[in-house]
Amino acid sequence: MNNNTVTYEPDNSIKKGFWSILPEIYSEIVKNRWLTFQLFKRDFATMHKQSLIGFLWIFIVPIINVAIFAMLNRSGIFNVGEINVPYPLYALLGMTFWQLFATGVTSGGNSLTASGDMITRINFSRKSLVLTSIGKPLISFFIQLILITVLFVLYRIVPAKTVLLAPLVLIPIILLTLGIG
């Protein structure tokens, strides 16, 4: 009687601790950067390719959203209170950061479910799919920052020096989005 029993245990990263697995995660990301970039290129090329006006949707959707919020604010349906900037700028700033998070979480979940066959058939880093999923929302975010800059110029508002701290706000948003995704 052959008693060669194999017991499989999951990789218990919790016992290792966060700081000990961080270098492993980093090296896996660096090792798979080509795959991540190729998946990103594929997703970016097909993002708005099938629509009639293509990449203009990146500009049109935020403009329409801000216009709707401005109409709702002017009509008195909701009141945001006293703000120190024009309402369209206020609305676009808030929506830009929210859409980065919301679209990133949705994209992360969709990328894993849409790639189910690839995940089961090919051995590769699943982190590449999650990192790829944040690419499209980041591009939309930076394009919306251009719209925000245009509004600052149109309203002749000079941002405070604290605007230089905005990238520090982005880091936790991106990390939370990737973690949930």
Side-chain angles (χ1 to χ4, degrees):
M1 183 166 238
N2 191 355
N3 196 7
N4 292 334
T5 305
V6 177
T7 305
Y8 293 100
E9 292 183 9
D11 180 23
N12 197 347
S13 299
I14 295 172
K15 287 183 182 178
K16 291 180 182 179
F18 175 74
W19 296 110
S20 65
I21 63 168
L22 197 58
E24 294 174 25
I25 292 172
Y26 178 75
S27 67
E28 186 177 344
I29 290 170
V30 169
K31 187 172 77 174
N32 292 303
R33 67 184 179 272
W34 183 84
L35 173 64
T36 304
F37 182 70
Q38 294 303 317
L39 290 171
F40 171 74
K41 276 187 359 185
R42 177 198 67 180
D43 290 348
F44 183 74
T46 61
M47 184 164 49
H48 298 290
K49 189 177 186 178
Q50 297 172 349
S51 68
L52 182 64
I53 53 177
F55 289 104
L56 288 177
W57 280 113
I58 295 174
F59 294 102
I60 292 171
V61 172
I63 291 171
I64 290 173
N65 286 338
V66 167
I68 290 171
F69 276 107
M71 282 184 356
L72 291 173
N73 186 39
R74 282 192 183 154
S75 67
I77 292 177
F78 64 87
N79 187 5
V80 294
E82 188 70 29
I83 54 174
N84 296 330
V85 294
Y87 185 76
L89 183 60
Y90 174 81
L92 186 60
L93 273 168
M95 283 191 316
T96 300
F97 284 92
W98 170 251
Q99 285 178 342
L100 172 65
F101 173 72
T103 309
V105 169
T106 304
S107 295
N110 289 343
S111 71
L112 293 175
T113 55
S115 302
D117 289 339
M118 190 167 75
I119 290 172
T120 58
R121 294 182 183 166
I122 302 171
N123 185 16
F124 70 99
S125 173
R126 279 45 168 187
K127 292 173 188 70
S128 296
L129 291 172
V130 176
L131 286 174
T132 299
S133 69
I134 194 73
K136 291 186 295 186
L138 272 175
I139 287 176
S140 295
F141 176 81
F142 288 121
I143 289 174
Q144 288 176 10
L145 282 182
I146 293 170
L147 290 174
I148 290 170
T149 305
V150 168
L151 284 179
F152 270 113
V153 170
L154 287 176
Y155 286 114
R156 294 186 180 112
I157 297 174
V158 178
K161 293 177 184 177
T162 55
V163 76
L164 297 174
L165 298 175
L168 295 178
V169 173
L170 276 180
I171 293 169
I173 292 173
I174 291 171
L175 289 177
L176 180 63
T177 304
L178 287 172
I180 292 173

